Amino acid sequence: MLTKIAAETVAPSCHPERSEGSAVVDGKPKLWFDGEIADADALQADLTTHAMHYGSGVFEGIRSYATKQGASVFRLRDHLERMRKGAELLGIAFDAEQAADATLQALRANRHRDAYIRPLAWVGAGSFGLDVAGHAQHLMVATTPALVHLSGANTRMTVSPWRRNPASSLPPLKLCGAYVNSILAKREAKSRGFDEALFVDDAGLVVECTGANVFLVKKGRVTAVEHRDALPGITRDTLIALSSADARAVTLDELRDADEVFACGTAAEVAPIAAIDARVFGDNPVSRELAALYARVVRGEEAAFRSWLTPV
Ligand code: PMP
């Protein structure tokens, strides 16, 4: 039995503010799938696809930006290295060079410049058993001008009653099944009228958000929340390099007591947090300054960091 995959993840290039230069060549969104560029709506996957039943896949969230030197992908190699680690755990063959090339091909085929890029490697059809050995394996890369996480200002966060997957059960990599944990927390937070959930552990230490890492600013000092259950974010790493932030464990009490809090991630970039439950934060000048610096870095306007950009 066959069903369509991924068509809904590839929004047509119709965002008014992003339409310039992003028109699809023949009007149809394209995907890179198992070695070829294809029309997104023509692709199909078997309903026995293992990843659909058990989450046996690994993905990345990457961004490309329009720069003065043309479209460029930010920290492509670092994203694909994280993806390689996840693929290795699942026994999925993964060639980072091929995935890099597929990413560039997908962006070119869609003529995307400012885009969110979604590579996914997964275990395909075979059987309903949990042993993935012998199953088909696939790789796709979709690109979309639409963003997926915390792209608005004024994010209101709540402490989640859910715990983050402990690293001793699920390593903090972008394994598909692990994201059910984020989905539950996001649903619960939204059901109480918040935008985002904050994971805290049993000892009261801050972990991360559903799809972003957390920083605080106190008396002008920037601190990156460190926790072994949190994804080692590439944006977090970038911001530590840009701000010489400390990286250390932070309690929820300390976070609430901060002058500023922001979340960060490839999609979210630097997203100031307006409130954590009843604690409302005021002005956020340090977060804004860091957000502006980050925006210059990803757009190739800071020469010292251009090696992080891969031209499309
Ligand atoms: N934590 C989680 C759970 C995420 O899904 C993401 C997004 N990939 C992040 C943090 C931020 O990571 P990055 O900066 O590498 O996008």
Side-chain angles (χ1 to χ4, degrees):
M1 256 188 299
L2 296 171
T3 187
K4 282 185 180 174
I5 58 161
E8 73 275 14
T9 67
V10 186
S13 310
C14 60
H15 273 233
E17 72 281 16
R18 295 176 186 274
S19 59
E20 189 208 341
S22 62
V24 175
V25 188
D26 60 4
K28 287 185 177 180
K30 309 285 185 200
L31 278 182
W32 186 100
F33 174 62
D34 285 352
E36 281 171 35
I37 292 287
D39 289 338
D41 65 1
L43 294 172
Q44 299 187 318
D46 196 296
L47 286 181
T48 66
T49 293
H50 200 270
M52 198 159 90
H53 296 259
Y54 301 120
S56 45
V58 57
F59 69 97
E60 261 308 322
I62 312 175
R63 264 174 92 156
S64 63
Y65 291 91
T67 77
K68 289 204 179 77
Q69 294 78 34
S72 291
V73 184
F74 189 62
R75 301 195 65 172
L76 177 60
R77 305 281 155 186
D78 299 303
H79 281 281
L80 295 177
E81 171 53 18
R82 184 168 66 190
M83 188 167 173
R84 188 197 61 72
K85 288 182 190 153
E88 189 175 293
L89 279 179
L90 287 169
I92 299 176
F94 183 75
D95 176 349
E97 283 306 311
Q98 181 193 43
D101 188 52
T103 300
L104 301 180
Q105 281 189 43
L107 286 165
R108 289 180 198 133
N110 288 308
R111 294 197 181 160
H112 284 159
R113 298 193 302 175
D114 280 311
Y116 183 78
I117 302 158
R118 169 51 55 84
L120 172 69
W122 74 98
V123 180
S127 76
F128 293 124
L130 287 171
D131 185 353
V132 294
H135 285 67
Q137 301 183 346
H138 301 285
L139 177 66
M140 62 159 249
V141 182
T143 73
T144 167
L147 291 183
V148 289
H149 294 301
L150 293 188
S151 41
N154 271 334
T155 300
R156 289 172 55 255
M157 218 155 60
T158 183
V159 174
S160 182
W162 292 105
R163 293 289 178 246
R164 191 73 179 130
N165 303 314
S168 52
S169 299
L170 268 171
L173 290 166
K174 294 185 78 75
L175 304 177
C176 295
Y179 275 79
V180 172
N181 182 227
S182 290
I183 291 165
L184 295 180
K186 187 86 169 182
R187 268 175 57 76
E188 194 284 330
K190 289 191 74 180
S191 76
R192 290 189 286 111
F194 291 90
D195 307 306
E196 178 57 332
L198 177 70
F199 287 109
V200 173
D201 74 8
D202 285 333
L205 293 171
V206 178
V207 185
E208 62 175 338
C209 299
T210 62
N213 293 115
V214 179
F215 279 66
L216 68 85
V217 182
K218 182 78 180 177
K219 297 195 169 91
R221 280 187 73 87
V222 182
T223 300
V225 172
E226 188 156 283
H227 196 289
R228 70 190 196 116
D229 301 340
L231 188 82
I234 290 164
T235 316
R236 175 183 183 276
D237 180 73
T238 302
L239 295 172
I240 290 172
L242 295 181
S243 67
S244 306
D246 289 342
R248 59 172 174 81
V250 170
T251 64
L252 177 59
D253 285 345
E254 186 183 355
L255 194 72
R256 285 201 189 107
D257 188 48
D259 300 328
E260 303 177 33
V261 172
F262 61 87
C264 71
T266 297
E269 298 182 316
V270 178
I273 299 301
I276 302 175
D277 294 304
R279 163 68 164 117
V280 177
F281 294 95
D283 194 17
N284 44 32
V286 178
S287 309
R288 276 190 276 118
E289 196 184 316
L290 206 47
L293 174 59
Y294 183 78
R296 292 199 299 279
V297 168
V298 296
R299 291 188 185 277
E301 290 162 20
E302 293 285 337
F305 300 101
R306 271 206 206 119
S307 61
W308 275 334
L309 300 180
T310 301
V312 177

